[in-house]
Each structure stands twice: as structure tokens, then as C-alpha cells.
Amino acid sequence: HMANIDPDEGVVLNDGLSTQVGAHGPYIQSQRLEIYKKHAQKLIENGNAYYAFDTKEELDAMRAEMLAAGNPAPKYDASVRRRMRNSLTLTKEETEKLLKEGHEYVIRMIVPETEIIEFTDDIRGTVQFQGHTVDDQVLMKSDGFPTYHLAHVVDDHLMEIDLVLRGEEWLSSLPKHLLLFQYFGWQPPRYAHVSLLLNKDKSKLSKRQNDVAAEDYIAKGYLPEVLLNFLALLGWNPGTTQEIFSLSELIDAFSLERVQKAGAIFDIEKLDWLQGQWMRKFSTEEFAARIRPVVSEVYAAALNDANFEAKAKLIHDRITFFKEAPEMMSFFYTEPAVSKELMANKKQKVTEADLPKILSLLSETLTAISDADWTEDNLHKILFATAEEKGLSKGQILWPLRALLTGLPFSPGAFEVAAALGKKKTLERLERAQKEV
């Protein structure tokens, strides 16, 4: 929803309220419990599943025994099944008695030990699984709710899903799902298991090292369009040099053939670059409209500022997040703090001792420009000519002017700011700066 992608069917938000849309509902799992129970019973009747009455203590003992025997991943498989308390080891009468007495149970699927399960995955190609490596998965829990394994197979069939895209961590569960489709006599959908996202050190992306939810990045100020663009390029490439994609462009360009099998590096620097690129895609008008409420929260004067769009344009190429706008535009709505330290700059060859002479020259030059000639182009031309005439570099004259007008170490250039502030405000700030030096 945050990325402006609304599902065609399922649970959707409509005016902030959750509603169900589509012909295959209900779409809320808790409203489908009878459907799952009916299908689980069918598996039991057909001999593809069974009741298991093992207690937590019995299961813990089984796992401890397997670990002690050197099995690092204990599982309830065919070899274990034969000695546990389930309807395959109990008589029919014993099973019925336990059910009647209300003993807790789960329903497990039967995985044939000797079966080889093969499938062609849309990304990974042919995958093969040995039956003895797969456990008898729980399908219905003791609370009457299905596990993902049963629910997704039943739901995907009844909802006519023909392609399932999911993370590669589900690949090991694929044989269980394929067996269930087989037991029900249904055609499985196509599956495509996509690779995991990785940190720069190739470790799995996790909450410990990163924010991993889309909401976290939206809260930080990333645009939904940026997240969508960024995520699409993780593990997929268009086969061209294009990197900026809108949703409609992605729909046209995307194909599973170009999805890579290797894990994709989650590069936050690339995300920030994309954010900047998308910021530049806004028209000046739209950009100004998006940041005006943000700036107005800090500087009320911005709300009805007739020249707001022209001022916003000056930061458009520099901004990464809307929330940066109030500080970046602060000098338009509040008098900046002026310091000799900021006006001087070693790189620009401006020492504090040079400042009185440079500010005096700026005052003399700018005062002589008429209000009618006070434009960015004229300021550019006149100040550059003055610098040349007095044997100063452009930086020696522009850096102090920009610093005293904005009070910021980074900001739009001196010409743009002076033009946007106007002659009166520029000279006032220049006069105040002269008192500081």
C-alpha cells in the first residue's frame, strides 16, 4: 500500500479501513478454518496424513536423543514416526479413544522415505529432493489453526494462483508442498524462489544490522517510488544501463529470466543515490508543493510566501530527503548566525585577516547595483569582473558572501541566494557581517 501498489484481490485498505475484495474469499485465514479442517481430514482418509498425540515432553526427549546421536537437525521423519504416539503406531480403537477423550493432537503429513521429488523452479532450474531428508510436517496445529504449509497449498489452489514468488529460505519446504498438491490431485503452480538480500559483508540481511521493514525506510523519508525502484534492482537487472524505473516501466521490463540466483547486496549508498535521482524527477512546482508543509512547520512564514517556489528551486538539486528542507532553507526565514570562522576558508585562500577588505569590496560593489539590475546573471557578471579587477580568485569573493548570507557550511551559491533574498536583505546581512570582523 505504501508503494501505491493495491492488490487486485485479497485484504485491501479502502479509505483507511480494511476490506476484502475478490471472488475467492474469505481472504482472512481465521475465517477459513473449516476449509483447512476439511482438507486435512481428506488427507487422513486417503492415508496421506495422520494424527500425532505426542506431548511436548516426548518431542523434547526425541530431539535430545537425536542430537546426542549426532543428528544436528532433529526431525520427525519416517524413522522417528514408527516409535512415537500417532495413529500409524496406535490401533484404530486407541486413536478413536484418544480423540474422544479430547487429547491434544496435531495432524502430520506422510513423507515417503524412498521418494525422489523433482521440480523445475522458474529461477533455479531443476531441483531435486530425497524423501528421507524431509520431515513429516505438521499441517494442523493443536489449536485448530493450519501451518503455512497446508494453508498456502489449499489457498493457492482454491484461489487459482499460477505463480508463487518467494524467498529461497522456502526452497527446503518445496517438497512438502509438491507432495501435498500430489495428494490432493491438484496441479501445482509455478514456483520461483528468489535469493536473499545480503549485507555488504555477504551476511544475511537482519534486524540486528539493518532496518529490514519498508516502514522503517518510509519513516526515514525515502520515497515509495525509490524503495520500489531499489528493491527491483536487487537481484534483477534489465540488461540495459537504465537504473531509474517507474512502476509502469518495471512492469514492461521485468522478466524472471533476468533474476539472479546469487544473493543481492543491500547497498544503502545506492539507495541514497536513487533517492536523490527521484527527487530531481519532480518538477519545481511539485517539489515546492511537497516541501512547503515541511518547511512551514518550522517557519510559518513559508506557508504564504509568494516566492517560495523560486527559493525551493535553489535546494532542489542538493536535497535527499524532504525533512532536510527546513534547515536548507533556514536563511530565507531567519537571520543566520555569522562567524569569522565560517567566512574564512583555507581551501578558498580566505584568511580572517582578509575579511574586512573583502567585505568592504562586496559592500561597495553590491550597493552600486540598482534594484532593477539585481538579478542572478548581473550579480554573476559584476562580481566576477570585480574579483578579476582586484586580483582576487572567484572563491575569495564568493565564499565569504555565501557564508554570511546563509550561515551554513553547505548551501546554494552566492548569486542565487543574493538574488532570491533581494538587495535590501543582502546588504543588511553584509553590514552585520562587517561588524563581526
Side-chain angles (χ1 to χ4, degrees):
H1 185 70
M2 275 188 259
N4 301 320
I5 303 175
D6 290 315
D8 298 321
E9 63 174 304
V11 181
V12 299
L13 276 178
N14 194 349
D15 293 330
L17 296 173
S18 171
T19 184
Q20 298 186 54
V21 174
H24 299 96
Y27 293 92
I28 294 169
Q29 200 175 73
S30 58
Q31 295 172 9
R32 297 175 64 81
L33 296 183
E34 286 308 313
I35 299 171
Y36 305 129
K37 283 176 189 168
K38 184 181 84 176
H39 283 84
Q41 285 304 318
K42 189 177 176 186
L43 291 173
I44 285 178
E45 287 162 21
N46 292 347
N48 300 128
Y50 57 92
Y51 297 108
F53 299 96
D54 315 294
T55 62
K56 183 182 181 299
E57 290 71 26
E58 287 169 329
L59 290 169
D60 287 346
M62 178 269 287
R63 290 189 191 102
E65 188 185 315
M66 291 181 82
L67 283 168
N71 187 336
K75 58 183 180 291
Y76 199 119
D77 61 9
S79 64
V80 170
R81 180 202 305 155
R82 299 183 191 103
R83 54 190 176 80
M84 301 298 281
R85 280 198 315 135
N86 56 62
S87 55
L88 298 176
T89 59
L90 301 169
T91 64
K92 194 177 177 188
E93 291 72 30
E94 286 172 323
T95 298
E96 282 172 4
K97 183 171 181 282
L98 288 171
L99 290 172
K100 201 172 178 182
E101 288 172 358
H103 281 263
E104 276 200 355
Y105 65 85
V106 297
I107 295 177
R108 288 181 181 273
M109 70 183 291
I110 292 179
V111 177
E113 250 183 314
T114 55
E115 186 147 347
I116 293 171
I117 302 138
E118 193 172 276
F119 188 78
T120 303
D121 184 273
D122 275 26
I123 291 172
R124 295 174 187 276
T126 302
V127 287
Q128 208 176 62
F129 306 90
Q130 308 285 334
H132 67 84
T133 65
V134 183
D135 61 332
D136 284 1
Q137 181 63 53
V138 173
L139 301 178
M140 292 291 286
K141 297 178 285 185
S142 56
D143 61 6
F145 275 76
T147 59
Y148 165 79
H149 307 278
L150 176 67
H152 114 263
V153 166
V154 171
D155 291 345
D156 285 1
H157 174 72
L158 296 179
M159 294 178 183
E160 299 173 17
I161 301 299
D162 53 14
L163 171 62
V164 175
L165 274 146
R166 59 186 182 184
E168 69 175 337
E169 67 269 32
W170 287 106
L171 199 56
S172 61
S173 298
L174 182 62
K176 301 170 189 178
H177 306 152
L178 295 172
L179 280 172
L180 285 175
F181 277 105
Q182 184 184 310
Y183 292 160
F184 286 123
W186 300 335
Q187 175 71 30
R190 289 161 56 201
Y191 281 96
H193 289 82
V194 295
S195 296
L196 298 177
L197 299 184
L198 306 175
N199 293 302
K200 270 195 163 178
D201 63 4
K202 302 286 179 77
S203 61
K204 182 181 169 184
L205 195 69
S206 68
K207 285 181 183 174
R208 209 164 29 83
Q209 289 176 273
N210 289 79
D211 291 316
V212 293
E215 290 91 338
D216 297 331
Y217 290 92
I218 296 291
K220 285 179 175 181
Y222 289 97
L223 296 165
E225 298 93 333
V226 170
L227 281 176
L228 190 65
N229 191 163
F230 177 68
L231 290 170
L233 294 172
L234 287 176
W236 171 83
N237 74 80
T240 66
T241 56
Q242 184 178 348
E243 293 195 272
I244 311 300
F245 285 89
S246 65
L247 177 56
S248 60
E249 287 170 329
L250 282 171
I251 290 168
D252 288 342
F254 186 82
S255 70
L256 285 171
E257 289 77 31
R258 301 202 68 86
V259 175
Q260 68 188 44
K261 293 177 191 172
I265 304 294
F266 191 99
D267 184 355
I268 201 81
E269 288 169 16
K270 177 70 174 280
L271 177 60
D272 287 346
W273 178 80
L274 275 175
Q275 172 80 6
Q277 296 303 306
W278 271 90
M279 279 289 194
R280 317 293 171 257
K281 277 170 72 81
F282 289 120
S283 66
T284 303
E285 187 182 2
E286 191 181 352
F287 174 69
R290 295 284 285 263
I291 64 168
R292 195 191 285 258
V294 185
V295 178
S296 301
E297 274 184 31
V298 183
Y299 303 111
L303 196 58
N304 299 308
D305 181 353
N307 295 318
F308 185 81
E309 199 174 299
K311 292 170 182 174
K313 186 180 181 181
L314 299 190
I315 67 163
H316 195 176
D317 283 347
R318 301 163 179 270
I319 198 165
T320 308
F321 300 104
F322 292 135
K323 64 187 175 189
E324 297 167 341
E327 187 185 353
M328 291 177 85
M329 296 183 75
S330 59
F331 55 86
F332 286 124
Y333 301 106
T334 185
E335 288 304 309
V338 176
S339 70
K340 286 191 284 189
E341 290 77 23
L342 186 61
M343 287 188 286
N345 185 295
K346 197 173 177 182
K347 192 179 169 189
Q348 302 294 345
K349 297 190 169 63
V350 180
T351 66
E352 288 188 21
D354 296 328
L355 288 173
K357 181 183 74 178
I358 292 171
L359 298 193
S360 177
L361 177 63
L362 281 167
S363 179
E364 186 187 318
T365 307
L366 295 174
T367 303
I369 301 172
S370 69
D371 286 342
D373 289 338
W374 193 272
T375 64
E376 189 182 321
D377 284 348
N378 280 338
L379 288 167
H380 187 282
K381 199 165 32 179
I382 292 165
L383 285 174
F384 273 10
T386 302
E388 197 175 331
E389 185 191 326
K390 301 293 180 184
L392 296 169
S393 71
K394 291 168 186 173
Q396 283 175 307
I397 203 164
L398 293 182
W399 179 274
L401 178 60
R402 191 200 59 73
L404 71 87
L405 291 179
T406 69
L408 298 171
F410 304 102
S411 70
F415 309 126
E416 298 106 297
V417 175
L421 283 171
K423 180 178 178 180
K424 182 171 177 286
K425 182 67 78 178
T426 298
L427 291 176
E428 279 173 14
R429 290 187 184 177
L430 183 49
E431 194 180 325
R432 197 154 53 87
Q434 285 180 286
K435 288 174 184 168
E436 295 289 325
V437 301

